Amino acid sequence: MPTIQVSEATIAYTDTGAPPDLPDAPTVVFGHGLLFSGWLFHHQVAALRDRYRCVTVDWRGQGDSPPTRDGYDMDTLTADAVALIERLGVAPVHYVGLSMGGFIGQRIGARHGDLLRSLTLLDTSADAEDPAKVGRYRLLASVYWLVGLRPVFGQMAPLMFGPTFRASAESRAVIDEWARRLKRCPRSGIRKAVLGVADRAPVHEEIAGITVPTLVATGAEDAALPPDHAERVAARIPGARLETIPDAGHSSAIEQPTAVTSLLGDFLASVDATRPPGTG
């Protein structure tokens, strides 16, 4: 995978490049959720790459981005995303972030709105982590760091995937692939990523300043960040559109890929209809 250097961090990303017959096509940047990588959006990239340049980023310590000593807080990861967009020279972009990627997307939208054409926030929140859950997440992170995935899998899977998906015939292969990819990552980086999410600061006040077209969508069965989180985000961002994805949990992009891809494709097309490529 290609990489960029940001301070002491090596940030891995994928880039489909512009479609051959659309050299000026807008770019979509995808920011994944905790315990995933850019692979989370492989369905959406496959469906959109004939119309858009699609870029996925792996956050520090996850996917193919190696661990760093520090820098797992949401503000530093936001700076990593901004650096990637600027280094690639692709602004303004459509940014799509799920969960952790959405925490970062909200910060980009509030602080660097000139880099965005639109903002899509999936299964995410503007709040700090629920204090009742912080201790549990810290314990899971420590156990994972010490002994790996197997002892905590039974607690993590229901947080990552909804009950409808876990009961489906398709889920086993997807969850196995998720676990295989997660096990490839150094456990020290995963632990720090979990702690970065657990200790995140809220941005509820900031996001009222987001001015780009915004889609907020949530899985109806999301146990990690239930739909009321998305409702608060959408209520706070002026003009935001709120959608609920049936039969999806916290990882809607792979649990209900057709529904998410359709929703996203229609939203991006509606934005581009009013802001064609080349208009800034």
Side-chain angles (χ1 to χ4, degrees):
M1 291 177 68
T3 62
I4 63 167
Q5 293 296 129
V6 184
S7 299
E8 80 286 359
T10 300
I11 307 300
Y13 66 96
T14 68
D15 184 356
T16 64
D21 55 343
L22 294 171
D24 296 322
T27 296
V28 185
V29 175
F30 295 90
H32 66 84
L34 181 65
L35 307 183
F36 275 96
S37 66
W39 170 79
L40 174 66
F41 295 106
H42 65 279
H43 292 288
Q44 289 72 42
V45 170
L48 295 174
R49 63 182 300 167
D50 64 336
R51 289 166 282 164
Y52 296 92
R53 179 176 178 176
C54 295
V55 174
T56 71
V57 57
D58 288 355
W59 307 123
R60 299 183 184 208
Q62 300 179 83
D64 286 305
S65 292
T68 52
R69 182 179 57 190
D70 52 22
Y72 292 81
D73 61 287
M74 298 305 107
D75 290 347
T76 302
L77 298 180
T78 297
D80 292 347
V82 167
L84 177 62
I85 293 169
E86 292 179 337
R87 301 271 183 91
L88 294 180
V90 292
V93 305
H94 297 291
Y95 180 90
V96 181
L98 187 149
S99 189
M100 184 180 189
F103 305 153
I104 295 160
Q106 291 171 76
R107 287 163 170 81
I108 298 173
R111 302 170 190 174
H112 307 278
D114 59 309
L115 298 180
L116 301 184
R117 295 176 68 85
S118 75
L119 179 62
T120 298
L121 303 169
L122 304 171
D123 310 311
T124 195
S125 175
D127 303 326
E129 189 54 70
D130 181 349
K133 296 180 179 179
V134 170
R136 178 188 180 191
Y137 292 164
R138 287 178 176 275
L139 178 59
L140 287 172
S142 295
V143 173
Y144 180 85
W145 177 46
L146 290 171
V147 294
L149 181 60
R150 184 181 296 275
V152 297
F153 179 84
Q155 295 188 57
M156 291 170 64
L159 292 171
M160 304 305 295
F161 307 101
T164 298
F165 179 71
R166 285 183 283 116
S168 71
E170 296 81 11
S171 68
R172 186 70 267 162
V174 175
I175 294 174
D176 285 349
E177 179 64 12
W178 165 71
R180 186 186 71 79
R181 289 172 176 269
L182 181 60
K183 289 175 183 177
R184 284 173 39 196
C185 302
R187 297 205 298 255
S188 61
I190 296 299
R191 173 178 175 270
K192 290 175 181 177
V194 173
L195 296 179
V197 165
D199 295 337
R200 70 184 185 276
V203 289
H204 195 257
E205 296 302 320
E206 276 193 83
I207 63 173
I210 293 175
T211 59
V212 298
T214 302
L215 169 65
V216 180
T218 180
E221 300 176 351
D222 191 338
L225 293 172
D228 60 299
H229 286 267
E231 293 167 6
R232 288 194 293 276
V233 171
R236 191 67 178 165
I237 298 176
R241 170 182 165 190
L242 176 64
E243 298 284 348
T244 300
I245 303 164
D247 300 326
H250 189 58
S251 306
S252 59
I254 57 172
E255 293 182 56
Q256 295 296 334
T258 301
V260 171
T261 300
S262 177
L263 192 62
L264 179 59
D266 290 347
F267 173 66
L268 298 184
S270 71
V271 173
D272 290 334
T274 59
R275 189 181 185 184
T279 61

